[in-house]
Amino acid sequence: MKISPNSSSGSKGVVSKKTMILFDYHLGIQLNALISNLNQQKKSLLELDSVVENLGPSYFSRNFSKALATSSALSDLFANGWRIKFSKRFVNSFPEKKRKIEAELIRPQILNKGESIESAKERARVGLLRGVVENLNESSTKEFVNLMEDSNNENSILELIDDPKDLASSLNSSELASKNVQPYLQFVEEGGKDDYTKLKLTDIWRYFRLTWSMEYKTNPGRSVRILIRNKARKNHPVMGIAMLASPVISLSSRDERLGLNYDSCIDFMKSQKISLLKFSEIIKSTFGEAKKNISKKDLNQNYRTLRQISYDSLEARKVFLKDQDMENATRHLFRSKRALKLEALEQNIKNSKNLISQVKKEKLDFKDVENNSYFINLVKKFLTQKRTDIISTDIMDLSVCGAVFPYNSLLVGKLITLLMASSEVKSFVDKKYDDSPSIIASKMAGKKIIKQTNLIGLTTTSLYGVGSSQYNRLKLTQDNSKIKKDIIWEELASTKGFGTFHFSKKTRKLLQTLQNETQEYQNINYEFGEGTSPALRRISESLNEIGFNKSVLKHEFYRKTYFCDLSSNIKKIVFNLANPKMDLNSVNQISKAWKNRYFLKRISNNKILVELEKKKISDYLVSSKIKN
């Protein structure tokens, strides 16, 4: 790599603001007519998919599968506040087989003009509940709920739901309140059972997760499920649930906080007075360590380049996918990725050496290179490697966090969020994944790779982008609560509104059925190593089949991102400039601080306890959601 003084980074591309659909000619005509008819009859556009189902294949003779998938996707969008506007012009008007009808989807704003925050949240809930209701109405879910709620069974989930009236009476003084709320964590592992009901802990966690207003979707990777229980009450009732999971590899606001994007990294190096030479050596060392983990066992370079090996492996993978031989398909996928990874690392190491040599020779400083495109490109590749190393082991996402009835009116959600920064949580996570082989890293390397886990930071996002009382200004410090170590959940920039949550399970199934009918093999199989966000990529690919612009995945319900630094100097740890050891607060210490700062103030409002007394367990059971 030779740094030339005039080189600079290029301009960024511009993304179209319009979200367009290109319907097949006949299908577009039919759907336009059906939507117009629903509008004329002043019926909800959410009925579009059921109208299409009732009309049946005889009406949509050309492609009923596409009609079902398209109408279901549109109904999901309508449920989330989107509107549609059909164009009067045709695209590719001749020949008729390729003729298309264009329409524009108009996305809702996160907060419409004159709309209150609560109204915006309610609008978001309507869209989210479509997937929830669909899940609750599945026969397997109904059977599970009925079994869990069977009052004739002494092992019923009802035994783990606190009585609101009795709970309220036990909180009518600060002394009683402190005595009758004694939280503790119970980590949910396969095979574990509750001491009081003998129910599986996994079933207890699943039941309370079904009370959420957002559909639960599992993702591959690490996960730790947790029950928060009250040992001061009969049967130790459940106060709330949480789950820590593998975070997304790239999240701009989090990466900036960790110093893992270009500007924040350079600013941090300058603030720490790290010389350009030292930084260049850190870059070279990072690439060198990564190369050590790559096995060359099946990367014979005697007659082929690494890029050719990668290409040959991908072609072989296609054959195995067609034969549904996933074992060999996966083997060739990782062989391809390994070849490209090794090629990139070798080039990056070469460029790092050249940089070090030039810095020494010309006595360069950051001001000489920080706007140089070659330097910027090398640093970004370094940060990509560093991000993969850190995010895959040392950061976790608080993907589920909240109180359950009747504790959800007592600021227990704040307690649970704070408890995730406890020594017990860190100890459990570190121990669970200590010395355990990393599946993806091992397959990428072509040999067994063990990565040490050292939990140093947590991320989470609010359910609604317009506000989150659970996470806002959430902190326990030595000043405000006399706690040993500060716990601060910082609000970062909001996440971009890309995702799949606004498309229901029904739509995803219909899209998958359509894709199976039109493709020789499935390229995205939710297998480790195929890439990040498989659900997003699969639905994007499927929506493209029915004419949707992929910008439809930009749902506009931006979510606020929050971050908790467990170490207090996380950037130094990320770049190996500080000792990663930390002394965290215990669950008991955090619980005591939470009571004094939040809980006791909450129950001092008599209205809260009066309202709590009036509540009935039957109204908050999962079965009541199914009935409604």
Side-chain angles (χ1 to χ4, degrees):
M1 182 186 79
K2 177 69 176 175
I3 296 176
S4 108
N6 296 320
S7 59
S8 59
S9 56
S11 60
K12 296 179 180 179
V14 179
V15 180
S16 171
K17 292 182 179 179
K18 287 191 175 182
T19 300
M20 310 303 298
I21 312 176
L22 287 177
F23 292 107
D24 290 348
Y25 175 70
H26 288 282
L27 180 58
I29 291 289
Q30 290 168 320
L31 290 176
N32 189 9
L34 293 175
I35 290 171
S36 297
N37 189 46
L38 286 170
N39 282 327
Q40 288 171 8
Q41 296 182 41
K42 296 184 178 180
K43 291 184 177 180
S44 171
L45 293 184
L46 275 65
E47 295 182 26
L48 179 64
D49 56 342
S50 59
V51 169
V52 169
E53 288 176 18
N54 292 334
L55 287 170
S58 59
Y59 184 83
F60 299 94
S61 55
R62 289 176 178 263
N63 196 330
F64 186 48
S65 294
K66 183 174 279 192
L68 286 173
T70 305
S71 63
S72 184
L74 286 172
S75 295
D76 287 341
L77 294 175
F78 295 150
N80 281 279
W82 293 62
R83 293 179 292 120
I84 191 169
K85 182 180 179 182
F86 280 85
S87 171
K88 293 182 179 179
R89 73 185 186 92
F90 298 137
V91 181
N92 299 330
S93 59
F94 186 84
E96 185 180 317
K97 272 187 176 180
K98 294 186 178 180
R99 191 183 301 174
K100 304 284 184 180
I101 290 180
E102 189 177 61
E104 181 184 357
L105 281 167
I106 304 164
R107 60 169 52 88
Q109 297 300 308
I110 186 169
L111 190 63
N112 292 325
K113 187 176 180 180
E115 186 178 34
S116 69
I117 288 178
E118 282 308 311
S119 295
K121 284 185 177 182
E122 184 57 33
R123 176 163 52 85
R125 285 189 192 103
V126 171
L128 293 172
L129 283 172
R130 186 174 168 86
V132 174
V133 170
E134 183 181 44
N135 184 30
L136 291 176
N137 283 317
E138 290 182 353
S139 57
S140 59
T141 303
K142 287 181 177 180
E143 185 179 340
F144 169 76
V145 171
N146 289 336
L147 187 64
M148 293 292 286
E149 293 182 2
D150 186 357
S151 58
N152 295 320
N153 186 346
E154 61 181 13
N155 297 336
S156 166
I157 193 72
L158 301 176
E159 299 297 316
L160 301 181
I161 300 175
D162 213 337
D163 178 75
K165 186 174 182 179
D166 187 55
L167 176 63
S169 65
S170 73
L171 304 177
N172 57 19
S173 74
S174 295
E175 186 179 349
L176 278 174
S178 293
K179 180 182 177 182
N180 285 297
V181 176
Q182 299 293 328
Y184 71 94
L185 304 181
Q186 186 170 37
F187 294 97
V188 177
E189 295 191 274
E190 295 297 329
K193 290 188 176 183
D194 173 49
D195 291 337
Y196 301 94
T197 62
K198 307 308 176 185
L199 291 170
K200 293 179 182 177
L201 295 180
T202 51
D203 286 347
I204 295 171
W205 194 94
R206 178 190 173 193
Y207 177 86
F208 286 111
R209 178 60 181 81
L210 288 172
T211 65
W212 254 237
S213 58
M214 188 172 186
E215 182 185 356
Y216 175 52
K217 300 171 187 175
T218 58
N219 285 307
R222 298 174 298 158
S223 66
V224 175
R225 288 170 290 178
I226 306 169
L227 294 170
I228 295 81
R229 303 182 68 166
N230 185 358
K231 65 182 177 184
R233 303 278 297 163
K234 181 184 177 183
N235 293 342
H236 294 192
V238 176
M239 300 175 69
I241 61 172
M243 183 170 81
L244 295 172
S246 294
V248 295
I249 290 296
S250 181
L251 182 64
S252 57
S253 57
R254 176 205 64 202
D255 297 342
E256 181 179 2
R257 176 63 178 81
L258 294 174
L260 291 174
N261 63 23
Y262 181 76
D263 289 335
S264 63
C265 174
I266 298 301
D267 288 345
F268 175 69
M269 292 299 159
K270 288 180 179 178
S271 72
Q272 299 300 305
K273 296 183 169 35
I274 303 296
S275 68
L276 178 59
L277 178 59
K278 174 66 175 175
F279 181 50
S280 302
E281 289 170 344
I282 291 173
I283 292 173
K284 175 177 169 289
S285 174
T286 298
F287 288 135
E289 287 300 314
K291 184 183 175 183
K292 288 179 184 177
N293 288 331
I294 301 291
S295 170
K296 298 181 181 179
K297 186 177 179 180
D298 59 349
L299 301 180
N300 188 334
Q301 292 178 258
N302 291 336
Y303 62 97
R304 290 179 296 179
T305 65
L306 288 166
R307 192 162 293 273
Q308 286 172 326
I309 292 173
S310 174
Y311 175 81
D312 290 347
S313 295
L314 288 180
E315 290 301 303
R317 177 179 182 257
K318 291 178 184 178
V319 175
F320 287 117
L321 285 174
K322 289 176 184 178
D323 294 339
Q324 296 185 336
D325 184 346
M326 293 309 301
E327 182 178 348
N328 279 310
T330 301
R331 180 171 61 83
H332 279 281
L333 170 66
F334 278 101
R335 183 171 182 252
S336 170
K337 293 166 78 75
R338 185 159 61 254
L340 290 181
K341 179 73 171 177
L342 182 59
E343 180 187 60
L345 287 171
E346 288 177 345
Q347 184 61 52
N348 290 335
I349 290 170
K350 180 181 178 182
N351 289 341
S352 301
K353 288 178 178 178
N354 290 340
L355 173 62
I356 291 171
S357 175
Q358 192 173 352
V359 169
K360 287 180 177 178
K361 182 179 179 181
E362 301 179 25
K363 298 182 179 178
L364 299 177
D365 201 350
F366 278 107
K367 65 179 183 296
D368 301 311
V369 300
E370 58 187 319
N371 293 319
N372 182 281
S373 62
Y374 293 106
F375 177 75
I376 292 171
N377 188 45
L378 181 65
V379 173
K380 286 183 175 179
K381 289 176 179 176
F382 155 71
L383 291 173
T384 297
Q385 180 63 51
K386 178 63 74 173
R387 187 183 304 119
T388 301
D389 293 341
I390 295 296
I391 302 303
S392 63
T393 57
D394 298 348
I395 306 293
M396 292 199 81
D397 182 61
L398 184 53
S399 61
V400 175
C401 179
V404 300
F405 176 82
Y407 289 91
N408 46 1
S409 62
L410 302 175
L411 300 183
V412 169
K414 288 184 180 292
L415 167 67
I416 298 168
T417 309
L418 292 165
L419 288 177
M420 295 305 103
S422 66
S423 58
E424 286 90 338
V425 168
K426 174 175 169 53
S427 177
F428 183 87
V429 171
D430 289 353
K431 186 176 180 181
K432 180 175 181 179
Y433 294 104
D434 185 43
D435 294 330
S436 60
S438 171
I439 297 175
I440 291 186
S442 297
K443 288 185 176 181
M444 271 295 294
K447 60 183 180 181
K448 187 177 180 180
I449 298 293
I450 294 175
K451 291 186 174 183
Q452 298 293 326
T453 294
N454 180 36
L455 187 62
I456 57 175
L458 301 170
T459 58
T460 194
T461 52
S462 62
L463 187 56
Y464 309 108
V466 289
S468 172
S469 59
Q470 180 165 305
Y471 304 115
N472 283 348
R473 298 181 295 278
L474 181 58
K475 60 175 69 175
L476 292 178
T477 66
Q478 294 177 21
D479 291 335
N480 69 31
S481 60
K482 299 179 181 178
I483 202 163
K484 178 176 66 175
K485 180 180 176 61
D486 292 355
I487 302 173
I488 301 173
W489 279 89
E490 310 166 42
E491 182 179 335
L492 307 180
S494 296
T495 61
K496 291 182 178 180
F498 284 91
T500 64
F501 80 85
H502 51 312
F503 288 104
S504 63
K505 187 181 291 185
K506 174 185 175 183
T507 295
R508 296 194 296 272
K509 285 181 179 178
L510 289 170
L511 287 170
Q512 185 58 54
T513 298
L514 179 63
Q515 201 171 47
N516 291 340
E517 293 175 358
T518 56
Q519 291 188 349
E520 286 186 275
Y521 62 89
Q522 181 56 253
N523 190 47
I524 302 169
N525 302 280
Y526 292 83
E527 293 287 329
F528 279 116
E530 289 184 327
T532 58
S533 304
L536 185 67
R537 289 184 295 111
R538 178 179 274 192
I539 201 168
S540 177
E541 189 178 281
S542 302
L543 287 169
N544 186 60
E545 288 282 320
I546 58 176
F548 281 66
N549 183 313
K550 68 178 181 180
S551 64
V552 75
L553 294 170
K554 188 172 185 289
H555 49 66
E556 286 304 316
F557 284 118
Y558 294 88
R559 298 181 187 177
K560 291 189 176 182
T561 304
Y562 298 87
F563 181 78
C564 183
D565 178 2
L566 302 181
S567 68
S568 302
N569 59 352
I570 198 164
K571 286 183 183 178
K572 288 185 178 182
I573 294 174
V574 165
F575 293 103
N576 301 318
L577 300 175
N579 191 320
K581 291 183 179 180
M582 57 201 80
D583 184 19
L584 302 181
N585 304 291
S586 69
V587 167
N588 286 338
Q589 290 169 329
I590 294 171
S591 298
K592 182 179 179 181
W594 163 79
K595 286 178 188 178
N596 293 329
R597 178 157 175 77
Y598 297 106
F599 176 63
L600 295 178
K601 293 177 183 178
R602 178 71 167 177
I603 62 172
S604 66
N605 181 349
N606 190 55
K607 184 179 177 182
I608 299 297
L609 297 184
V610 170
E611 289 297 317
L612 184 60
E613 280 186 335
K614 295 177 183 177
K615 292 180 178 179
K616 297 179 180 178
I617 292 177
S618 57
D619 294 336
Y620 292 87
L621 297 176
V622 177
S623 56
S624 69
K625 294 180 69 174
I626 295 174
K627 290 174 185 176
N628 294 329

